[in-house]
Amino acid sequence: QLQQAQTQLAKLNKPQRKTMAGRVALRWLSPPTALRTGRVQAVTMPQRYASKVSEEKKREWMEGPALQDFIVSSMEKNQQDESGNPKPLKKQPRLRLPPWLKTDFAHGKSVSAIREKLRGLKLSTVCEEARCPNIAECWGGEKGTATATIMLMGDTCTRACRFCSIKTSNKPPPLNPDEPQSTASAVHEWGLDYVVLTSVDRDDLPDGGANHFASTVEELKKLNPDILVECLTPDFSLDLDSIKRVATSGLDVFAHNMETVERLTPGVRDRRAHYQQSLKVLQKAKEFQPKLVTKTSIMLGLGETDEEVQQTLQDLKDHNVDCVTFGQYMQPTKRHLKVKEFVTPEKFDHWKKVGDEMGFLYTASGPLVRSSYRAGEFFLANVLKQRREQDS
């Protein structure tokens, strides 16, 4: 067989022999194939190393596994056909949307009016940016009942959570100094008695945008002292001064979303967001302003277990969180995390019952429920009004 290999090399033309001379080592394609056919494979080796390789090492190379052995061993049996050949790879299909998650297209006079007013004032809403499925319901009400969650500090976030479709950049545009006043004017003109303010993360700012957030709340209260304000805040990198600035600005509900269970947090949220950090943000806000209602939201359908959800509820209770909402995770685009499970309405009812039994002030749980869901806003509005009456 070695003579056959030498004969094959001798058949090469002169330029080929010149490039291969002095640096050729022989290796079997695979031992069974070589014994049956006598075919060998030429493997190039630098000439200066050829004489230093021991005979034992050469023998290991010649008798070792071939490329085909690695290819076959790396495939599962179900990836091969009856002849042992690999099947063509197929993309994993996305789960089909169940009927309970299909909603009406956002349209109507109220929807168009709110969208037009937002464009005129150059304001952004998380309803549009995050493609919320409840936009038709929340924007479709009459004056005084239609709700919109205002997103402050622009529409570009410095973080890149894998479930969120909001634009990201390390250097977003500078803040609009007139935004607090223009936002307050727009909300006052709508005649709302409950408004939700949220924002993108602004890690590029020294205070994370806390002062901008708080200034908007103060402007709202100046125009309408009776308005109820909920703020869905970032974590401010757990900067206590920033948390205190927002918590003591006059708002009524301090919300910060946990998003998912502890195990899944690193793969779902941005690397700068941490499970324990979010718990401490909610706890510190309550400590700075004990009369605040604290609130958080959890997405289901990302691969969490019942035990993990139960533990998250217990962690929230241990950190004095008042309200919790559960909603179905919906993949905004093909580039984002896929839905692992579409949780049934019955399962959401189960978590609402568990939250109520654990003593949360309010538990909203449903496939289309989001952190700033209008039914929850109406409930919290009544709770806050009752508290005001009791204090007076």
Side-chain angles (χ1 to χ4, degrees):
Q1 292 174 351
L2 182 59
Q3 290 177 352
Q4 292 177 1
Q6 292 173 342
T7 302
Q8 291 178 11
L9 293 175
K11 293 180 181 179
L12 300 174
N13 57 36
K14 190 172 182 180
Q16 290 175 323
R17 288 201 304 271
K18 185 177 181 181
T19 58
M20 298 181 66
R23 56 187 184 89
V24 174
L26 300 180
R27 179 178 181 277
W28 305 117
L29 287 172
S30 63
T33 305
L35 291 175
R36 185 172 62 253
T37 65
R39 293 163 55 195
V40 296
Q41 179 185 21
V43 180
T44 60
M45 178 189 302
Q47 184 176 7
R48 63 180 180 276
Y49 294 138
S51 61
K52 297 181 181 179
V53 179
S54 65
E55 292 298 326
E56 182 180 358
K57 181 62 68 175
K58 291 179 181 178
R59 190 161 49 252
E60 289 180 5
W61 288 345
M62 295 176 66
E63 298 177 356
L67 176 61
Q68 187 66 21
D69 297 324
F70 289 102
I71 296 175
V72 173
S73 62
S74 66
M75 293 183 177
E76 301 292 339
K77 292 183 178 180
N78 59 5
Q79 292 179 312
Q80 303 178 25
D81 57 23
E82 295 179 356
S83 302
N85 298 320
K87 295 180 180 179
L89 295 177
K90 295 182 179 180
K91 290 184 178 181
Q92 293 295 327
R94 293 192 295 173
L95 296 178
R96 293 182 65 85
L97 200 67
W100 61 80
L101 284 172
K102 296 180 180 179
T103 58
D104 295 331
F105 178 74
H107 65 282
K109 293 182 179 180
S110 180
V111 173
S112 301
I114 291 177
R115 183 177 283 119
E116 185 178 349
K117 187 176 292 293
L118 290 168
R119 297 295 178 272
L121 294 170
K122 297 182 180 180
L123 298 178
S124 301
T125 68
V126 73
C127 315
E128 293 180 289
E129 296 296 333
R131 305 184 184 186
C132 179
N134 300 316
I135 190 170
E137 181 181 355
C138 294
W139 285 22
E142 301 299 328
K143 186 174 182 180
T145 61
T147 60
T149 302
I150 305 299
M151 188 162 65
L152 304 175
M153 297 188 278
D155 60 357
T156 305
C157 187
T158 54
R159 299 190 183 182
C161 295
R162 296 163 184 84
F163 64 89
C164 183
S165 64
I166 292 176
K167 293 185 293 185
T168 63
S169 173
N170 290 328
K171 295 181 179 179
L175 297 181
N176 177 7
D178 299 326
E179 186 177 47
Q181 187 173 2
S182 62
T183 301
S185 300
V187 172
H188 183 65
E189 187 176 343
W190 289 340
L192 302 178
D193 58 0
Y194 192 107
V195 64
V196 181
L197 302 177
T198 189
S199 77
V200 293
D201 282 275
R202 292 298 300 261
D203 298 292
D204 59 314
L205 302 175
D207 66 345
N211 186 66
H212 193 87
F213 221 125
S215 298
T216 306
V217 177
E218 292 165 352
E219 291 294 333
L220 283 165
K221 292 290 185 177
K222 285 180 183 178
L223 293 178
N224 183 5
D226 295 327
I227 192 172
L228 299 174
V229 181
E230 174 182 333
C231 292
L232 177 58
T233 73
D235 58 27
F236 300 115
S237 300
L238 199 58
D239 181 79
L240 298 184
D241 291 336
S242 297
I243 297 172
K244 184 177 182 180
R245 176 73 177 97
V246 176
T248 57
S249 63
L251 78 167
D252 302 282
V253 179
F254 185 100
H256 173 68
N257 289 344
M258 299 297 299
E259 308 296 4
T260 188
V261 298
E262 186 170 15
R263 175 179 61 87
L264 298 178
T265 295
V268 172
R269 304 174 69 186
D270 185 89
R271 60 181 176 79
R272 288 161 286 187
H274 307 286
Y275 181 86
Q276 295 296 331
Q277 178 172 278
S278 291
L279 287 173
K280 291 178 181 178
V281 169
L282 291 162
Q283 184 182 44
K284 291 298 180 181
K286 192 83 165 181
E287 291 177 0
F288 290 136
Q289 184 58 267
K291 292 184 178 181
L292 276 181
V293 172
T294 51
K295 177 183 172 185
T296 194
S297 183
I298 300 170
M299 297 180 294
L300 300 182
L302 287 164
E304 66 287 332
T305 65
D306 289 354
E307 292 75 14
E308 290 172 327
V309 176
Q310 184 73 50
Q311 182 59 55
T312 301
L313 286 173
Q314 188 59 56
D315 292 340
L316 292 171
K317 198 65 182 172
D318 294 341
H319 287 77
N320 297 321
V321 177
D322 297 309
C323 306
V324 61
T325 66
F326 291 98
Q328 171 70 53
Y329 166 64
M330 304 280 280
Q331 184 183 12
T333 72
K334 293 182 179 180
R335 296 174 297 154
H336 293 82
L337 287 175
K338 288 185 178 180
V339 177
K340 295 294 182 65
E341 176 190 8
F342 284 121
V343 181
T344 63
E346 291 75 19
K347 193 66 174 181
F348 279 107
D349 292 341
H350 165 74
W351 290 121
K352 174 174 174 52
K353 181 179 179 182
V354 171
D356 291 341
E357 290 175 350
M358 292 182 68
F360 286 98
L361 176 65
Y362 172 66
T363 304
S365 182
L368 295 177
V369 169
R370 294 297 180 264
S371 56
S372 48
Y373 186 59
R374 67 179 300 187
E377 294 165 11
F378 295 155
F379 176 85
L380 291 176
N382 291 330
V383 170
L384 293 168
K385 288 176 181 178
Q386 290 176 6
R387 287 187 176 182
R388 286 183 178 180
E389 291 174 359
Q390 292 175 358
D391 293 339
S392 59

